[in-house]
Amino acid sequence: MTTTGTVRYWAAAKSAAGTAEEPYAAATLAEALDAARAAHAANPEFARVLLRCSFLVDGDPVGTRDHAAVPLAQGGTVEVLPPFAGG
C-alpha cells in the first residue's frame, strides 16, 4: 500500500537536493529513495550523496536493514543524514 509523508534532507543531502524537504508517495524506504533519485536525476551529485547517507524512518535508525523491507507509515518522516564531522 502506497503511503504519503515527508523526506527531510540534511547538510550535503539538502544541498544536493536543492530543498530541505519534499513529499514521498511510497510503500517502502527503497521506493521513496528511488523516486527521489528519479526526481533529482538532473543532478548526479544527489545519487552520490545518498550512497553515503544513513536514514531515520519516523525517528528509528534504519541501519543495515534492506531498504525494501522498511515500510513507510502514512504521514511519516524519512530523515536523510549524510556523514558529518563532530556529530
Side-chain angles (χ1 to χ4, degrees):
M1 170 200 277
T2 298
T3 61
T4 59
T6 303
V7 178
R8 291 192 182 131
Y9 300 108
W10 298 95
K14 179 179 172 181
S15 178
T19 187
E21 62 182 51
E22 60 191 0
Y24 69 73
T28 67
L29 178 57
E31 290 177 12
L33 295 176
D34 286 346
R37 282 185 201 93
H40 298 284
N43 180 4
E45 180 61 17
F46 180 79
R48 285 191 291 270
V49 169
L50 282 187
L51 291 173
R52 300 185 311 265
C53 289
S54 58
F55 305 94
L56 299 176
V57 173
D58 298 328
D60 294 325
V62 172
T64 60
R65 288 184 287 162
D66 179 358
H67 295 170
V70 178
L72 299 179
Q74 181 63 35
T77 302
V78 173
E79 306 279 349
V80 181
L81 306 166
F84 53 93

